[in-house]
Amino acid sequence: MLLQRFEKQTLAEALAAVHAACGPDALVVESRATRHGHLVVAARPETRTALADQTGARPALSPWTRGFQPLAEHALDFGLSATVLRAVERALLGTKVSLARAGDPALPALAARVLAALLRTEPRLETAESTAFRTLALLGPTGVGKTTTLAKLAARARHRGERVAIVTLDTYRVAAVEQLRAFADLLDVPFAVAFTPTDLRRLQQEHAGCDRIFIDTTGRSPRDRDALPQLEGHLRAAGAATLLCLAAGTRARDCQVVLEAFEPLGIDAVCLTKWDETTAPGETVAAALERGLPLSHLCIGQEVPADILPADAGALARAAFGVPEAVGA
Ligand SMILES: Nc1nc2c(ncn2[C@@H]2O[C@H](COP(=O)(O)OP(=O)(O)OP(=O)(O)O)[C@@H](O)[C@H]2O)c(=O)[nH]1
Ligand SMILES: [Mg+2]
């Protein structure tokens, strides 16, 4: 089950039970004293299969509970999938709110907390403490904003005092090198072009003293089955972590195509770009969630470096359900 209740005499006992049942990555959705001791409601990050299993193959066909209906309508309008919403609704059945009647004032905020617990974010792109994202390649379909996002991330890293280098593999598109060189010059960071995996490894050694090496890649159609393996070869040679850039307005079906095409390259995190250009970003949020992929950032405009926000699960969930203090508010 996705979300479970653990009621024990003490908080420590309840948390120990959570840990035993849901593992070390358990996400606590609710924790409160009860007449019998302490109640903890915990969620476990789930994969797409697990979500689909527990909600059934055709979740949209059965009606929502009365209490959840207005929230579901808001979230569907935002673009969230019925599969994700079924998981949230089901989780709420194990909590103190009433779903049988409309208008429980506690429901929207609790639904947002449950959704926030399900969403994964990846904050390590914003700290130099972890080396997991030290060499970071930005991938994705054509024109989604990879180069612009790279410039934003590089500027933020510089601002934090990190030593940064930028490398591009994109020698395919006319003017791509010059576009990135201009950003690198503005940031006053070293910039180089890598034509081969050997070039890439040599540049990594040259910049061994850097906290962060950003790698730009050529935009590729998810249907371009020839180009993606070549890119995979480059990235494996570099041992690079990968950030998939996905335009926030991408439709659910197209998200699946993109994620399936890029998954063999190993997607470590997803950045939702062009958030400002869509009214239904939830389809991309749900696509990432259903595949268990963490979100790193939202890009909210063309301005470098201002138009980027680290993904905040709470703010995203509140936006989805229309709870005040939503993202961008
Ligand atoms: N509105 C909006 N525009 C953006 C955002 N990010 C990038 N853009 C714009 O999208 C266009 C393409 O951006 P690029 O960064 O060149 O995209 P790319 O993915 O590197 O493109 P290719 O390398 O050709 O695949 C530019 O006009 C950017 O200014 C965003 O978050 N919002
Ligand atoms: Mg580019």
Side-chain angles (χ1 to χ4, degrees):
M1 193 176 172
L2 186 66
L3 203 126
Q4 288 174 267
R5 295 160 53 92
F6 301 87
E7 191 160 11
K8 300 284 177 197
Q9 282 187 337
T10 65
L11 174 61
E13 282 169 0
L15 289 176
V18 168
H19 193 276
C22 301
D25 296 330
L27 297 156
V28 174
V29 174
E30 188 178 358
S31 167
R32 64 186 160 90
T34 65
R35 272 190 303 151
H36 309 292
H38 207 98
L39 172 74
V40 175
V41 181
R44 183 169 38 174
E46 294 286 330
T47 62
R48 179 172 58 122
T49 320
L51 277 176
D53 283 351
Q54 67 158 344
T55 53
R58 307 184 67 185
L61 291 182
S62 59
W64 305 105
T65 51
R66 260 185 90 182
F68 193 63
Q69 169 105 23
L71 291 173
E73 278 168 11
H74 191 284
L76 287 171
D77 196 44
F78 182 81
L80 276 194
S81 67
T83 302
V84 168
L85 289 170
R86 281 289 175 220
V88 174
E89 184 188 42
R90 195 180 158 110
L92 287 167
L93 292 171
T95 65
K96 61 189 175 191
V97 293
S98 163
L99 292 177
R101 60 182 172 83
D104 185 333
L107 184 55
L110 192 55
R113 276 167 59 198
V114 170
L115 177 59
L118 294 174
L119 289 168
R120 289 182 62 205
T121 56
E122 181 48 271
R124 287 180 295 170
L125 273 71
E126 291 280 331
T127 62
E129 284 148 31
S130 153
T131 53
F133 289 90
R134 188 175 160 268
T135 305
L136 180 66
L138 283 84
L139 322 172
T142 57
V144 290
K146 296 175 294 299
T147 305
T148 310
T149 303
L150 186 153
K152 291 171 180 173
L153 292 175
R156 288 173 74 87
R158 281 283 283 156
H159 189 69
R160 290 193 299 271
E162 292 178 19
R163 284 158 300 172
V164 170
I166 297 176
V167 175
T168 187
L169 302 177
D170 186 4
T171 51
Y172 179 81
R173 190 170 60 78
V174 177
V177 171
E178 290 321 309
Q179 181 191 7
L180 198 49
R181 191 190 302 280
F183 280 132
D185 286 349
L186 273 176
L187 292 175
D188 195 21
V189 300
F191 171 74
V193 183
F195 293 92
T196 64
T198 313
D199 284 349
L200 193 50
R201 278 199 301 270
R202 179 180 48 76
L203 287 165
Q204 274 185 301
Q205 279 159 12
E206 258 173 42
H207 298 299
C210 285
D211 301 299
R212 202 75 72 163
I213 302 174
F214 290 101
I215 303 174
D216 197 17
T217 66
T218 309
R220 291 297 182 197
S221 156
R223 297 188 195 283
D224 188 345
R225 301 286 169 183
D226 294 333
L228 289 176
Q230 191 194 356
L231 180 56
E232 185 182 355
H234 274 83
L235 300 181
R236 284 205 194 286
T242 56
L243 179 64
L244 180 82
C245 294
L246 184 64
T250 310
R251 296 177 57 193
R253 260 189 302 175
D254 295 328
C255 288
Q256 302 307 338
V257 173
V258 172
L259 293 173
E260 268 161 32
F262 283 89
E263 245 164 20
L265 282 70
I267 303 170
D268 292 303
V270 176
C271 174
L272 298 180
T273 60
K274 306 195 178 185
W275 187 273
D276 53 305
E277 290 189 358
T278 179
T279 53
E283 293 194 32
T284 50
V285 174
L289 194 162
E290 289 177 23
R291 282 176 182 267
L293 293 170
L295 299 175
S296 74
H297 293 83
L298 311 181
C299 291
I300 54 170
Q302 291 177 285
E303 199 71 36
V304 178
D307 287 341
I308 187 166
L309 300 169
D312 173 339
L316 273 171
R318 288 193 295 276
F321 287 122
V323 178
E325 289 179 3
V327 66

